[in-house]
Amino acid sequence: MGSPRLLVLLLVGLMLAPVISATEGRAAPECAEFDLSDLVSSSSGIAVEPGACLIVDIGVRNHQTTLAIDYEILDDAMDVLMFDQNGIQTYENGQNYRSSFNPEASFESMIGSEWFDWAPPQSINAKNWYVVFDNSNHDGDEGQGDQGGMTSRFKIQLAPASVEQYPLIHDTFILQPGEVANLATFNVDSGTELSYWVHPISGTGDLYVQSDNQLGGNLIIADTDIEDFAGQDTTQLDWVVPSYLNLQNLNLMAEAGANPVHFSVKAWFDPVLAPSIVDYSNATTTIGQMVTLDASDSPNSLQQIKSLNWDFDSDMVFDATGELVEASWSTPGLKTINLTAESESGSTTIASHQIQVFDVEDPVAVIIGTGGVMVENGDRRLLRLSDMVLQASNSYDDHAIASASWSVDGELSSSASQFTVSWSQIGTYVVTLTVSDPSGNTGSTNITIIVYDSTEPILVTTDITDITEVEQGKEIEFKAKAADEWDSQESLIFTWDLDLSKDTNGDGDTTNDPDFTGAVLTTSFDEIGENRFAVTVYDESGNSDFEVFEIQVVEPPSDEGLFAIIAVVFFVVVIVSGVVLFGYKGIQRRHAMEMLMEGGLSRAEAAARIESISRGTKLPMFAKAMDMAGISGGGEIKSSQQLQSEAKMQEFQSIYGNDPQSQTDPNAGFRPSNQVRQVDPALAEAALAAFADEPQTKPVASSTPVSGKVKSGGIALPPVAKPAIHTLRSECTSCGKAFSVNMPPNVNSAVVSCPSCGSDQLFER
């Protein structure tokens, strides 16, 4: 029977009853082929007659897709074999296929039901796979498996298995007795959860995890062992990777028991989502300073992180995205950074980090002013009594300006943002603005305000205009003065322009070049004729006054004329000196005469004395009056009467000796003891002369023996009897009070001081 006819019969059979039967014996099998989508399992299954086979095309499959397969064989055992596109040809050709089918997904002499999860072996290219339901004695089965016998039915369910988001392994394995297989190698972050289950198909074994250095030994990672898993349909274990195994190579191992083991296993990860923040600024920074934040150390070995989003100021708004970002802040304070990690599954985890932001920058103080005039160097000139408004509003800071204060010449004046200044006195004032920010940083600046007056100084040129002519080359001194209502003379500045033909300062004015500065100018002129110069005075406010002066420069006198002048001057000096000397001597002679006459000499005696001294003494040319009078060395002036009196006194002393009692003033008894008066020397000399000329009374003989001393003459004088004393009374001519005086008998008159008022009174017998 040909193949088309067989196919028709098979289709009819499927429509009437799901039965597959063989039409011929031991030739190459002719199997019915169906797509998986054509097989609609009924509750009774698909029948396969003895000696027949059915091939199900399950499509192109690769290792990336694990298939969940359910087989159920009813009524009689048969072989269920999995072939790829190459192996199926061997089967269809009746050849030995023992090495051509996939043993993990194949079952010989199967009866009953079985499920397993199987992934096609890895290959360069995806392959087409086929499931053969064989109920025959195939020539290539080497007598193994089912050899047919009676009709058998099957049911098949095949679909992609459920896939975990982070799978490790999902497949079916066969191990020989005692065999150990490394099912999968992995290294993941600590905190990652590893889950795995095992479904035994036949036989038994163990499932566990080992590190690389445990391979080949009996040591395993604690809490990872599923031991002797044959007892249950599925055994599952969940294990979290500890920190000491972070990113270490680990191995999921399977070990068969005493018999071969056939099993399906599935392992997958639940990765940790724990973003971490590395701050290279050591958690501190300053305003405006960039900080690098790094999240690359966040666990992500399974690429579980879908996105990293940064919120720098906790306002629930993302400010940056990515592993490595930069951040800065415009205000100081403790800043909280939130890093949100989102996984591929949509779950999120937030990590937080705090950074202290400091304000270390000083604010910048800026003064803007209205009023006055700004000069080139930035200072301002302000007319006295005028207002200038100063503002701090243009000051700035990297954060904010918290306060402003103003001081004038170091003295605090205002704490407002705006400050108005005005002065009545001219001068230079320094206004300082100090601003501070909320962190206490401060900044200062100042402005110099020159307060000036508008009153111009007035030159006082009298000392200059008085000089109208000067000799060529001769130094001359000019003095400039000025009057100013506000400025002192010391503060005024005088400049002298000595060449009015040049403009040396280049201001277009030839009369104000400062060739010399100062109130006094000492200079000379070289050009004969009219010379012009200018003087300018400036006050502290810059007001000025100037004036141009003219002076006539003449030639100096010649040498001949100079000699003549010198000769005339010398002659005049000689004449004047002679006149002066003659006049000087005459004056000094008159003074000497007056001094001698005041000393008691008569004019004739004084003239004779001066003449005698001039002949007997060498006097200097300009001798003084005292030298001419002979009293410069302490000499005394004595008249002829005084000389006679001295001679008489010497005579008395030679007679009476030097007894002090005899030299006592004879008038002493007539004066009060408490009064000392100066008596006119002329009267004293007259009284002395009268006393000396008084005739002596002859001594009266006494009955007593006479005795006495022998004086120089060798004559013994008898004792002299004391004369009787007379008392005179009178009234003072000044005060009118009466008083009396005892006068010796040999005194006829005396001058006595009044004991009451002290005025001199003359008493006469």
Side-chain angles (χ1 to χ4, degrees):
M1 184 180 295
S3 296
R5 184 177 179 182
L6 176 61
L7 180 59
V8 172
L9 291 175
L10 287 172
L11 291 174
V12 173
L14 287 173
M15 294 176 63
L16 298 176
V19 176
I20 302 299
S21 61
T23 59
E24 296 185 3
R26 305 289 296 174
E30 293 183 4
C31 300
E33 295 186 13
F34 294 91
D35 289 334
L36 181 62
S37 60
D38 294 334
L39 298 178
V40 179
S41 297
S42 65
S43 59
S44 59
I46 306 299
V48 180
E49 294 292 332
C53 61
L54 188 146
I55 299 175
V56 179
D57 185 352
I58 64 174
V60 177
R61 307 291 178 174
N62 59 35
H63 185 71
Q64 303 299 323
T65 302
T66 298
L67 300 176
I69 302 174
D70 287 293
Y71 295 147
E72 185 177 3
I73 306 300
L74 304 171
D75 300 333
D76 188 27
M78 63 177 169
D79 297 331
V80 181
L81 306 174
M82 181 73 73
F83 291 95
D84 63 13
Q85 62 192 30
N86 298 319
I88 194 64
Q89 294 178 6
T90 302
Y91 178 85
E92 289 179 333
N93 291 333
Q95 299 172 351
N96 189 329
Y97 62 82
R98 298 301 303 174
S99 61
S100 298
F101 66 87
N102 182 274
E104 287 80 11
S106 299
F107 299 88
E108 292 183 300
S109 301
M110 178 182 175
I111 183 72
S113 63
E114 187 60 66
W115 69 265
F116 62 97
D117 293 343
W118 171 79
Q122 291 185 0
S123 62
I124 297 176
N125 297 313
K127 296 179 180 181
N128 207 108
W129 288 87
Y130 303 89
V131 178
V132 176
F133 292 92
D134 180 14
N135 194 19
S136 68
N137 182 10
H138 192 282
D139 291 342
D141 62 8
E142 296 182 356
Q144 298 183 34
D146 184 66
Q147 300 299 312
M150 58 180 298
T151 300
S152 179
R153 291 177 295 141
F154 72 90
K155 295 179 182 180
I156 182 172
Q157 296 289 334
L158 188 148
S162 63
V163 179
E164 302 297 335
Q165 189 167 6
Y166 301 98
L168 174 61
I169 189 171
H170 194 183
D171 206 350
T172 297
F173 299 90
I174 295 176
L175 299 181
Q176 298 306 313
E179 182 183 357
V180 177
N182 190 340
L183 303 182
T185 298
F186 60 95
N187 58 78
V188 293
D189 306 296
S190 61
T192 300
E193 184 179 66
L194 172 64
S195 299
Y196 47 93
W197 56 252
V198 59
H199 165 63
I201 298 173
S202 63
T204 186
D206 298 331
L207 209 61
Y208 51 85
V209 176
Q210 284 185 315
S211 63
D212 280 355
N213 58 2
Q214 292 174 335
L215 293 176
N218 295 324
L219 295 177
I220 65 173
I221 303 297
D223 302 323
T224 64
D225 183 23
I226 298 178
E227 189 175 2
D228 193 11
F229 51 71
Q232 298 181 9
D233 182 64
T234 300
T235 303
Q236 181 172 328
L237 185 145
D238 300 320
W239 172 68
V240 177
V241 178
S243 59
Y244 72 91
L245 293 176
N246 180 54
L247 298 177
Q248 298 295 313
N249 282 338
L250 302 176
N251 305 276
L252 180 61
M253 309 296 293
E255 183 176 355
N259 299 307
V261 61
H262 189 188
F263 62 95
S264 290
V265 64
K266 179 180 181 180
W268 69 96
F269 299 107
D270 184 7
V272 60
L273 192 61
S276 67
I277 301 173
V278 176
D279 173 14
Y280 295 108
S281 69
N282 198 26
T284 60
T285 187
T286 59
I287 289 178
Q289 182 68 38
M290 283 292 183
V291 172
T292 300
L293 302 172
D294 189 357
S296 60
D297 286 344
S298 300
N300 196 31
S301 60
L302 298 173
Q303 302 302 307
Q304 66 265 33
I305 297 178
K306 179 181 180 181
S307 64
L308 291 169
N309 299 300
W310 301 81
D311 177 8
F312 298 143
D313 45 17
S314 301
D315 60 355
M316 305 302 292
V317 176
F318 293 143
D319 301 306
T321 300
E323 287 186 345
L324 195 66
V325 297
E326 288 185 332
S328 65
W329 292 266
S330 59
T331 59
L334 186 63
K335 308 299 180 180
T336 299
I337 302 167
N338 293 322
L339 172 60
T340 301
E342 182 182 4
S343 70
E344 293 292 344
S345 64
S347 62
T348 59
T349 301
I350 298 176
S352 297
H353 176 69
Q354 289 186 324
I355 291 181
Q356 184 69 49
V357 180
F358 295 98
D359 183 359
V360 298
E361 292 291 331
D362 292 333
V364 178
V366 177
I367 299 175
I368 57 174
T370 303
V373 178
M374 182 174 291
V375 294
E376 293 181 358
N377 62 355
D379 296 344
R380 284 185 174 269
R381 288 173 54 83
L382 180 66
L383 184 64
R384 56 178 296 272
L385 300 179
S386 298
D387 289 342
M388 179 180 291
V389 179
L390 304 176
Q391 293 182 332
S393 56
N394 279 19
S395 301
Y396 59 91
D397 182 55
D398 56 359
H399 178 205
I401 298 296
S403 64
S405 62
W406 302 86
S407 62
V408 178
D409 292 339
E411 184 175 345
L412 182 64
S413 300
S414 175
S415 297
S417 177
Q418 179 173 300
F419 180 43
T420 301
V421 294
S422 178
W423 289 274
S424 61
Q425 296 296 322
I426 65 172
T428 300
Y429 302 88
V430 178
V431 178
T432 301
L433 168 63
T434 301
V435 294
S436 61
D437 61 20
S439 298
N441 302 307
T442 61
S444 298
T445 188
N446 56 60
I447 183 174
T448 300
I449 300 176
I450 303 170
V451 179
Y452 67 95
D453 68 280
S454 57
T455 303
E456 296 181 352
I458 300 174
L459 276 171
V460 179
T461 61
T462 306
D463 292 343
I464 301 177
T465 55
D466 286 347
I467 303 174
T468 59
E469 186 178 278
V470 64
E471 292 181 4
Q472 179 187 24
K474 182 179 181 180
E475 284 193 348
I476 188 168
E477 183 179 84
F478 296 102
K479 295 182 180 180
K481 298 179 182 178
D484 192 282
E485 181 180 353
W486 288 99
D487 299 89
S488 64
Q489 188 72 22
E490 292 76 13
S491 65
L492 298 177
I493 299 174
F494 297 87
T495 63
W496 305 73
D497 189 344
L498 304 179
D499 189 350
L500 302 186
S501 64
K502 297 180 180 179
D503 180 17
T504 57
N505 62 3
D507 65 348
D509 187 351
T510 61
T511 63
N512 65 352
D513 302 323
D515 298 331
F516 178 79
T517 301
V520 179
L521 169 67
T522 301
T523 187
S524 62
F525 297 90
D526 298 329
E527 296 183 3
I528 297 175
E530 184 181 87
N531 282 262
R532 301 172 70 243
F533 61 92
V535 179
T536 304
V537 60
Y538 300 91
D539 64 11
E540 290 184 334
S541 300
N543 303 306
S544 64
D545 185 23
F546 89 101
E547 188 170 340
V548 177
F549 300 92
E550 296 180 356
I551 190 168
Q552 194 69 29
V553 180
V554 299
E555 292 184 0
S558 63
D559 293 342
E560 294 179 357
L562 179 61
F563 290 147
I565 292 174
I566 293 174
V568 171
V569 171
F570 179 75
F571 177 75
V572 171
V573 168
V574 170
I575 297 300
V576 170
S577 298
V579 173
V580 169
L581 179 59
F582 180 78
Y584 177 80
K585 285 189 174 183
I587 293 172
Q588 295 301 319
R589 183 180 180 85
R590 287 197 301 272
H591 287 173
M593 289 285 291
E594 292 174 356
M595 293 172 64
L596 292 174
M597 292 174 67
E598 289 176 358
L601 300 183
S602 64
R603 178 175 293 277
E605 290 176 334
R609 181 182 176 94
I610 292 173
E611 185 66 24
S612 174
I613 291 173
S614 64
R615 287 196 303 268
T617 305
K618 186 178 181 181
L619 297 175
M621 182 177 296
F622 291 93
K624 296 181 179 180
M626 295 181 67
D627 296 331
M628 293 181 177
I631 60 175
S632 61
E636 296 182 5
I637 303 174
K638 297 181 180 180
S639 64
S640 58
Q641 291 181 353
Q642 289 175 328
L643 293 176
Q644 292 177 2
S645 298
E646 289 179 358
K648 289 181 180 181
M649 289 296 295
Q650 291 176 359
E651 182 180 355
F652 276 113
Q653 290 177 359
S654 64
I655 297 173
Y656 297 105
N658 291 327
D659 187 0
Q661 183 65 32
S662 64
Q663 298 180 22
T664 302
D665 184 1
N667 297 323
F670 298 95
R671 295 186 181 180
S673 60
N674 60 343
Q675 295 290 333
V676 178
R677 300 290 295 177
Q678 182 68 35
V679 182
D680 188 350
L683 294 177
E685 289 183 2
L688 181 60
F691 179 78
D693 295 336
E694 184 73 22
Q696 297 184 2
T697 305
K698 293 182 179 181
V700 179
S702 177
S703 60
T704 60
V706 177
S707 64
K709 291 184 179 180
V710 178
K711 298 294 181 179
S712 60
I715 301 174
L717 297 178
V720 179
K722 293 183 179 180
I725 297 175
H726 297 276
T727 300
L728 300 179
R729 292 182 177 274
S730 178
E731 292 182 355
C732 178
T733 59
S734 296
C735 64
K737 293 184 179 181
F739 67 96
S740 61
V741 176
N742 296 324
M743 295 186 64
N746 57 347
V747 177
N748 295 323
S749 64
V751 177
V752 181
S753 296
C754 174
S756 297
C757 65
S759 63
D760 292 336
Q761 301 295 317
L762 177 62
F763 282 83
E764 293 180 334
R765 289 183 185 273

